[in-house]
Amino acid sequence: MRIRRVRSKLKKAAAIDKHAGLKIFQPETTSFSSEHLYQMLYKHSMLYIKPEGGTGGAGIIRVGLTNHSTSYLLQKDTFSERWDQFDQLYARLSHFIGSKKYLIQQGIHLLTNNKRPLDLRIMVQRNKGDAWEMTGMLARVAAPRKVVTNYHRGGTLHQVDSVLRQYADSNRLQELKKQLEQIALLTAKHLNKHFPTLIELGIDIGLDKQLKPWILEVNTQPDKNIFRFHTNKKLYSKMMGYVRYQILKRTLKKTQANPAPQLLSKTKPKPFAAKEAARVRPALSPAPPVPIPLLISKD
C-alpha cells in the first residue's frame, strides 16, 4: 500500500489557515500572479516564490524590495539580479517559472547561524498506538549565499541546542522546544482531518528575531535519512519502524475489506461422493441403434 502524498502546498496552506490556532504561525501564502506579486511585495517587502508541488527546496526564488523600495532584488541558488522596474522583475520570474504552477509566500527574516539562515525540520508520525508523536527535530543551516536551508541543496544539519543556545538560555530553550512540539503535533492532527491517510509529516518551522515560530512548509513524505546524523542513533530506526508498522496495518485492513475471490477446486471428487452422485442421478436411456444401409449391387 502506497503512502498518500499531498503535493499541493496551496492545499496544505489553505487547510492550516482554517485553524485559528495555527493560522497565526503560517506566513501569508497565495497563488502566483502579477497582481498577487505586486500586492504581496509591497505588503511584506520580501517574498519566497516556490513551486506549488516541488520538493527538496528546488526552484525556490527569493525576491525583495531594496534601496527604499526603488528597485527589486531576485535571488536564486547562488546568484542575484537587481531590476529597476516591476515589469522587469515579473518577466524574469516568468522566465524561470514557465508553465509550472508556483505560489507566493510571505518572507520571514529567519534566525541565522554564521550569517546563514536556519530553520528546523520536525518529524511527527503515527506511532503503534495510532497517536501522533514527535519523533525527531534537527536544525538546518543554508549553504553560503543560498536562500534555502535544505540538506539536498547544500544545507548543513545541526543539533537544535547547538544553534539556538546563542538566542536563548537553557530555560527559554526548553520552553521553545516544547512550543515547537505542540505546534507540530497540532498541525499533524489538524491536517489529518483534511487528508485522512497521512501517517507522517516533516514540518519545516522557522524562527524570527523575536523567536516566533513560523510554519514554512509541511512535507507529507519527508526524507528521514537526515536523522541518521542525529546524536540519538535510535531515532532513525524508530521512525522506520513506525512507517513499516503503519503500512502493514493498512495493507492488512485493506485486504480484509476486499478479500480475494475463492477459486473453484480442481481436485477430483472422492470415490464415495461419485457413487452417491451416480445413485441419485437418473439413468439415461440407451440411444437407438443406427440402421445400417443396404448396398444394392448391380450385375
Side-chain angles (χ1 to χ4, degrees), residues 151-247:
Y151 177 70
H152 298 290
R153 311 302 294 179
T156 54
L157 303 172
H158 303 262
Q159 306 307 309
V160 174
D161 289 18
S162 67
V163 295
L164 292 186
R165 64 166 58 105
Q166 59 185 305
Y167 296 104
D169 59 27
S170 179
N171 291 335
R172 179 69 182 96
L173 185 54
Q174 293 306 312
E175 292 175 358
L176 181 59
K177 289 196 294 185
K178 188 64 178 178
Q179 182 187 22
L180 293 170
E181 180 178 2
Q182 292 172 345
I183 292 173
L185 290 174
L186 184 58
T187 300
K189 293 174 183 177
H190 176 66
L191 285 181
N192 197 213
K193 295 178 181 178
H194 294 266
F195 312 107
T197 61
L198 298 178
I199 65 171
E200 62 178 355
L201 295 174
I203 304 175
D204 297 336
I205 296 184
L207 298 168
D208 63 19
K209 306 302 182 181
Q210 288 72 44
L211 299 184
K212 177 184 176 179
W214 292 91
I215 303 171
L216 305 177
E217 195 165 315
V218 178
N219 304 275
T220 57
Q221 197 174 15
D223 179 14
K224 293 170 284 297
N225 285 312
I226 63 173
F227 286 91
R228 292 177 183 269
F229 300 97
H230 200 283
T231 53
N232 184 348
K233 300 305 179 182
K234 296 181 180 180
L235 281 187
Y236 178 76
S237 296
K238 182 180 181 180
M239 291 176 183
M240 295 307 297
Y242 281 172
V243 172
R244 286 191 291 267
Y245 175 84
Q246 289 294 334
I247 292 177

Side-chain angles (χ1 to χ4, degrees), residues 49-107:
I49 315 301
K50 298 182 176 183
E52 214 272 331
T55 59
I60 294 179
I61 305 168
R62 183 168 67 187
V63 297
L65 295 172
T66 62
N67 296 336
H68 305 289
S69 302
T70 59
S71 62
Y72 308 91
L73 180 66
L74 181 153
Q75 294 174 274
K76 186 178 186 298
D77 293 327
T78 58
F79 75 90
S80 61
E81 300 173 333
R82 194 182 303 273
W83 303 96
D84 293 328
Q85 298 180 13
F86 175 81
D87 289 345
Q88 294 174 320
L89 171 68
Y90 180 73
R92 187 60 167 158
L93 286 172
S94 298
H95 169 75
F96 286 126
I97 292 172
S99 60
K100 297 178 181 178
K101 291 184 178 181
Y102 267 64
L103 59 80
I104 303 172
Q105 185 181 75
Q106 170 190 352

Side-chain angles (χ1 to χ4, degrees), residues 11-67:
K11 287 183 179 179
K12 289 177 283 190
I16 291 174
D17 266 348
K18 293 178 181 178
H19 192 291
L22 291 174
K23 183 176 181 179
I24 60 174
F25 296 114
Q26 179 169 247
E28 185 178 357
T29 306
T30 188
S31 58
F32 180 83
S33 70
S34 176
E35 182 180 359
H36 289 164
L37 178 65
Y38 188 87
Q39 293 174 347
M40 291 275 285
L41 197 52
Y42 280 90
K43 182 177 181 180
H44 300 295
S45 75
M46 193 260 285
L47 306 172
Y48 282 90
I49 315 301
K50 298 182 176 183
E52 214 272 331
T55 59
I60 294 179
I61 305 168
R62 183 168 67 187
V63 297
L65 295 172
T66 62
N67 296 336

Side-chain angles (χ1 to χ4, degrees), residues 1 80 98 124 134 140 149 164 168 172 180 193 196 201 230 239 260 265-266 285 295 299:
M1 177 181 177
S80 61
V124 286
M134 188 191 79
R140 309 181 304 176
T149 62
L164 292 186
R172 179 69 182 96
L180 293 170
K193 295 178 181 178
L201 295 174
H230 200 283
M239 291 176 183
S265 176
K266 295 183 179 180
S285 301
L295 299 178
D299 295 333

